[in-house]
Amino acid sequence: MTETETTQPPIANRIVLADDTFAGVSRARDAARAFVEGLIPAPEPEKGETLALVVSELTTNALRHGGGRYTLRLQATADWVDVAVSDVSPMLPRERTPDLHGGAGGFGWHMIRRLVSDISVTPTPRQGKIIRARLPR
């Protein structure tokens, strides 16, 4: 008689970065690309670019609107890549009308919501929040 054991899909190595500079956004994008490239089996290249874009927008928003610093966490299962960006502001993200002429932004939250399969915002016990986004692998 053989026994089969049901186990949770393995979680890929986690990546954690913390930063408080706009130069860190570029490092976060690069870390996201490297993270996806290191997954086995590797997803299609456009998945890495989509993840890098989501990470870029979330970390930029954390710097601009979330108190000036963030922590990025990436992890993966066989089916998903999960992104979590925490910042120190309790203010929830809000959709704005994109500024098509003045360069004041307003595109990021719209874009993030369309690129990910699931997104949530959770207040932290201390002042702040965590934005979690899930992308299919």
Side-chain angles (χ1 to χ4, degrees):
M1 178 160 98
T2 60
E3 291 183 34
T4 57
E5 185 176 318
T6 304
T7 61
Q8 190 76 355
I11 295 179
N13 291 333
R14 294 179 183 179
I15 295 209
V16 179
L17 297 173
D19 210 313
D20 61 358
T21 67
F22 283 100
V25 172
S26 177
R27 286 189 293 274
R29 273 193 308 268
D30 291 344
R33 286 185 187 108
F35 181 77
V36 168
E37 289 169 3
L39 295 175
I40 298 173
E44 297 173 16
E46 65 267 8
K47 299 281 186 176
E49 290 306 309
T50 300
L51 177 65
L53 180 56
V54 169
V55 164
S56 181
E57 288 296 326
L58 288 174
T59 55
T60 298
N61 286 349
L63 289 173
R64 286 188 179 158
H65 311 292
R69 66 179 183 264
Y70 65 85
T71 301
L72 166 68
R73 289 176 178 80
L74 299 171
Q75 65 183 39
T77 67
D79 299 319
W80 303 100
V81 175
D82 292 316
V83 178
V85 175
S86 57
D87 63 44
V88 297
S89 172
M91 299 296 294
L92 301 178
R94 64 181 178 86
E95 288 194 15
R96 301 182 317 172
T97 301
D99 183 358
L100 299 175
H101 304 291
F107 294 93
W109 192 242
H110 293 280
M111 182 173 27
I112 292 165
R113 288 185 50 236
R114 284 172 179 73
L115 290 173
V116 302
S117 297
D118 186 44
I119 193 159
S120 65
V121 182
T122 307
T124 59
R126 293 183 250 179
Q127 186 177 17
K129 65 185 168 298
I130 301 171
I131 298 175
R132 289 183 176 88
R134 177 170 274 188
L135 292 87
R137 198 167 144 178

